[in-house]
PDB file of all heavy atoms in Angstrom:
ATOM      1  N   GLU A 119     225.723 229.502 448.738  1.00 97.00           N
ATOM      2  CA  GLU A 119     224.910 228.331 448.841  1.00 97.00           C
ATOM      3  C   GLU A 119     224.129 228.285 450.162  1.00 97.00           C
ATOM      4  O   GLU A 119     222.900 227.917 450.201  1.00 97.00           O
ATOM      5  CB  GLU A 119     225.842 227.061 448.778  1.00 97.00           C
ATOM      6  CG  GLU A 119     225.060 225.753 448.836  1.00 97.00           C
ATOM      7  CD  GLU A 119     225.935 224.579 448.603  1.00 97.00           C
ATOM      8  OE1 GLU A 119     227.103 224.770 448.166  1.00 97.00           O
ATOM      9  OE2 GLU A 119     225.489 223.418 448.854  1.00 97.00           O
ATOM     10  N   GLY A 120     224.702 228.807 451.227  1.00 96.00           N
ATOM     11  CA  GLY A 120     223.991 228.802 452.488  1.00 96.00           C
ATOM     12  C   GLY A 120     222.757 229.676 452.461  1.00 96.00           C
ATOM     13  O   GLY A 120     221.666 229.291 452.899  1.00 96.00           O
ATOM     14  N   GLN A 121     222.867 230.813 451.918  1.00 97.00           N
ATOM     15  CA  GLN A 121     221.722 231.714 451.836  1.00 97.00           C
ATOM     16  C   GLN A 121     220.625 231.182 450.877  1.00 97.00           C
ATOM     17  O   GLN A 121     219.405 231.317 451.164  1.00 97.00           O
ATOM     18  CB  GLN A 121     222.119 233.178 451.359  1.00 97.00           C
ATOM     19  CG  GLN A 121     221.160 234.227 451.522  1.00 97.00           C
ATOM     20  CD  GLN A 121     221.646 235.591 451.177  1.00 97.00           C
ATOM     21  OE1 GLN A 121     220.894 236.591 451.148  1.00 97.00           O
ATOM     22  NE2 GLN A 121     222.888 235.758 450.844  1.00 97.00           N
ATOM     23  N   LEU A 122     221.066 230.546 449.797  1.00 98.00           N
ATOM     24  CA  LEU A 122     220.110 229.940 448.930  1.00 98.00           C
ATOM     25  C   LEU A 122     219.401 228.770 449.496  1.00 98.00           C
ATOM     26  O   LEU A 122     218.153 228.674 449.336  1.00 98.00           O
ATOM     27  CB  LEU A 122     220.831 229.465 447.597  1.00 98.00           C
ATOM     28  CG  LEU A 122     221.282 230.532 446.637  1.00 98.00           C
ATOM     29  CD1 LEU A 122     222.329 229.960 445.623  1.00 98.00           C
ATOM     30  CD2 LEU A 122     220.076 231.151 445.911  1.00 98.00           C
ATOM     31  N   GLN A 123     220.025 228.021 450.316  1.00 97.00           N
ATOM     32  CA  GLN A 123     219.410 226.930 451.004  1.00 97.00           C
ATOM     33  C   GLN A 123     218.383 227.422 452.067  1.00 97.00           C
ATOM     34  O   GLN A 123     217.261 226.882 452.169  1.00 97.00           O
ATOM     35  CB  GLN A 123     220.419 226.021 451.670  1.00 97.00           C
ATOM     36  CG  GLN A 123     221.282 225.238 450.709  1.00 97.00           C
ATOM     37  CD  GLN A 123     222.365 224.412 451.410  1.00 97.00           C
ATOM     38  OE1 GLN A 123     222.573 224.596 452.609  1.00 97.00           O
ATOM     39  NE2 GLN A 123     223.082 223.565 450.714  1.00 97.00           N
ATOM     40  N   ARG A 124     218.781 228.441 452.763  1.00 97.00           N
ATOM     41  CA  ARG A 124     217.785 229.060 453.749  1.00 97.00           C
ATOM     42  C   ARG A 124     216.601 229.673 453.069  1.00 97.00           C
ATOM     43  O   ARG A 124     215.470 229.534 453.526  1.00 97.00           O
ATOM     44  CB  ARG A 124     218.557 230.051 454.619  1.00 97.00           C
ATOM     45  CG  ARG A 124     219.605 229.382 455.523  1.00 97.00           C
ATOM     46  CD  ARG A 124     220.093 230.397 456.608  1.00 97.00           C
ATOM     47  NE  ARG A 124     220.828 231.495 456.020  1.00 97.00           N
ATOM     48  CZ  ARG A 124     222.129 231.535 455.732  1.00 97.00           C
ATOM     49  NH1 ARG A 124     222.837 230.435 455.975  1.00 97.00           N
ATOM     50  NH2 ARG A 124     222.702 232.579 455.213  1.00 97.00           N
ATOM     51  N   LEU A 125     216.832 230.296 451.877  1.00 98.00           N
ATOM     52  CA  LEU A 125     215.736 230.821 451.139  1.00 98.00           C
ATOM     53  C   LEU A 125     214.825 229.742 450.697  1.00 98.00           C
ATOM     54  O   LEU A 125     213.568 229.921 450.728  1.00 98.00           O
ATOM     55  CB  LEU A 125     216.262 231.593 449.908  1.00 98.00           C
ATOM     56  CG  LEU A 125     215.244 232.098 448.911  1.00 98.00           C
ATOM     57  CD1 LEU A 125     214.312 233.150 449.585  1.00 98.00           C
ATOM     58  CD2 LEU A 125     215.844 232.675 447.652  1.00 98.00           C
ATOM     59  N   ASP A 126     215.347 228.639 450.176  1.00 97.00           N
ATOM     60  CA  ASP A 126     214.560 227.485 449.770  1.00 97.00           C
ATOM     61  C   ASP A 126     213.604 227.078 450.884  1.00 97.00           C
ATOM     62  O   ASP A 126     212.423 226.838 450.645  1.00 97.00           O
ATOM     63  CB  ASP A 126     215.437 226.386 449.269  1.00 97.00           C
ATOM     64  CG  ASP A 126     214.654 225.255 448.672  1.00 97.00           C
ATOM     65  OD1 ASP A 126     214.196 224.354 449.393  1.00 97.00           O
ATOM     66  OD2 ASP A 126     214.563 225.284 447.387  1.00 97.00           O
ATOM     67  N   ARG A 127     214.173 226.902 452.088  1.00 97.00           N
ATOM     68  CA  ARG A 127     213.317 226.441 453.201  1.00 97.00           C
ATOM     69  C   ARG A 127     212.300 227.490 453.531  1.00 97.00           C
ATOM     70  O   ARG A 127     211.161 227.156 453.910  1.00 97.00           O
ATOM     71  CB  ARG A 127     214.217 226.167 454.386  1.00 97.00           C
ATOM     72  CG  ARG A 127     215.120 224.903 454.225  1.00 97.00           C
ATOM     73  CD  ARG A 127     215.750 224.535 455.514  1.00 97.00           C
ATOM     74  NE  ARG A 127     216.643 225.528 456.049  1.00 97.00           N
ATOM     75  CZ  ARG A 127     217.909 225.625 455.888  1.00 97.00           C
ATOM     76  NH1 ARG A 127     218.511 224.692 455.066  1.00 97.00           N
ATOM     77  NH2 ARG A 127     218.659 226.537 456.432  1.00 97.00           N
ATOM     78  N   MET A 128     212.646 228.778 453.527  1.00 97.00           N
ATOM     79  CA  MET A 128     211.735 229.836 453.887  1.00 97.00           C
ATOM     80  C   MET A 128     210.541 229.872 452.933  1.00 97.00           C
ATOM     81  O   MET A 128     209.411 230.049 453.318  1.00 97.00           O
ATOM     82  CB  MET A 128     212.456 231.166 453.949  1.00 97.00           C
ATOM     83  CG  MET A 128     211.608 232.314 454.451  1.00 97.00           C
ATOM     84  SD  MET A 128     212.605 233.833 454.588  1.00 97.00           S
ATOM     85  CE  MET A 128     213.664 233.413 456.038  1.00 97.00           C
ATOM     86  N   LEU A 129     210.844 229.752 451.612  1.00 97.00           N
ATOM     87  CA  LEU A 129     209.740 229.789 450.610  1.00 97.00           C
ATOM     88  C   LEU A 129     208.896 228.600 450.744  1.00 97.00           C
ATOM     89  O   LEU A 129     207.685 228.683 450.586  1.00 97.00           O
ATOM     90  CB  LEU A 129     210.367 229.901 449.197  1.00 97.00           C
ATOM     91  CG  LEU A 129     211.028 231.220 448.862  1.00 97.00           C
ATOM     92  CD1 LEU A 129     211.686 231.091 447.467  1.00 97.00           C
ATOM     93  CD2 LEU A 129     210.031 232.361 448.874  1.00 97.00           C
ATOM     94  N   GLU A 130     209.498 227.458 451.073  1.00 96.00           N
ATOM     95  CA  GLU A 130     208.702 226.192 451.292  1.00 96.00           C
ATOM     96  C   GLU A 130     207.755 226.416 452.525  1.00 96.00           C
ATOM     97  O   GLU A 130     206.552 226.019 452.448  1.00 96.00           O
ATOM     98  CB  GLU A 130     209.607 225.039 451.479  1.00 96.00           C
ATOM     99  CG  GLU A 130     208.793 223.693 451.692  1.00 96.00           C
ATOM    100  CD  GLU A 130     209.756 222.551 451.978  1.00 96.00           C
ATOM    101  OE1 GLU A 130     210.887 222.782 452.415  1.00 96.00           O
ATOM    102  OE2 GLU A 130     209.359 221.393 451.754  1.00 96.00           O
ATOM    103  N   GLN A 131     208.298 226.949 453.582  1.00 94.00           N
ATOM    104  CA  GLN A 131     207.525 227.132 454.770  1.00 94.00           C
ATOM    105  C   GLN A 131     206.372 228.175 454.631  1.00 94.00           C
ATOM    106  O   GLN A 131     205.317 228.024 455.262  1.00 94.00           O
ATOM    107  CB  GLN A 131     208.383 227.509 455.948  1.00 94.00           C
ATOM    108  CG  GLN A 131     209.319 226.393 456.333  1.00 94.00           C
ATOM    109  CD  GLN A 131     210.533 226.953 457.191  1.00 94.00           C
ATOM    110  OE1 GLN A 131     210.601 228.101 457.535  1.00 94.00           O
ATOM    111  NE2 GLN A 131     211.433 225.961 457.615  1.00 94.00           N
ATOM    112  N   THR A 132     206.624 229.169 453.810  1.00 94.00           N
ATOM    113  CA  THR A 132     205.607 230.215 453.647  1.00 94.00           C
ATOM    114  C   THR A 132     204.636 229.945 452.476  1.00 94.00           C
ATOM    115  O   THR A 132     203.665 230.657 452.332  1.00 94.00           O
ATOM    116  CB  THR A 132     206.290 231.560 453.395  1.00 94.00           C
ATOM    117  OG1 THR A 132     207.213 231.485 452.256  1.00 94.00           O
ATOM    118  CG2 THR A 132     207.019 232.036 454.649  1.00 94.00           C
ATOM    119  N   ALA A 133     204.868 228.897 451.712  1.00 92.00           N
ATOM    120  CA  ALA A 133     203.969 228.526 450.602  1.00 92.00           C
ATOM    121  C   ALA A 133     202.603 228.156 451.239  1.00 92.00           C
ATOM    122  O   ALA A 133     202.529 227.394 452.186  1.00 92.00           O
ATOM    123  CB  ALA A 133     204.505 227.364 449.784  1.00 92.00           C
ATOM    124  N   GLY A 134     201.547 228.632 450.628  1.00 88.00           N
ATOM    125  CA  GLY A 134     200.200 228.284 451.140  1.00 88.00           C
ATOM    126  C   GLY A 134     199.858 228.990 452.391  1.00 88.00           C
ATOM    127  O   GLY A 134     198.867 228.653 453.068  1.00 88.00           O
ATOM    128  N   SER A 135     200.610 230.029 452.755  1.00 91.00           N
ATOM    129  CA  SER A 135     200.378 230.752 454.028  1.00 91.00           C
ATOM    130  C   SER A 135     199.330 231.867 453.820  1.00 91.00           C
ATOM    131  O   SER A 135     198.914 232.417 454.829  1.00 91.00           O
ATOM    132  CB  SER A 135     201.653 231.386 454.523  1.00 91.00           C
ATOM    133  OG  SER A 135     202.144 232.354 453.569  1.00 91.00           O
ATOM    134  N   GLY A 136     198.894 232.085 452.617  1.00 92.00           N
ATOM    135  CA  GLY A 136     197.980 233.184 452.363  1.00 92.00           C
ATOM    136  C   GLY A 136     198.617 234.531 452.336  1.00 92.00           C
ATOM    137  O   GLY A 136     197.947 235.569 452.318  1.00 92.00           O
TER     138      GLY A 136
END
Side-chain angles (χ1 to χ4, degrees):
E119 186 173 345
Q121 194 175 173
L122 285 166
Q123 290 176 351
R124 293 191 295 273
L125 173 64
D126 187 274
R127 291 194 297 269
M128 186 176 289
L129 290 175
E130 181 183 23
Q131 292 165 0
T132 54
S135 62

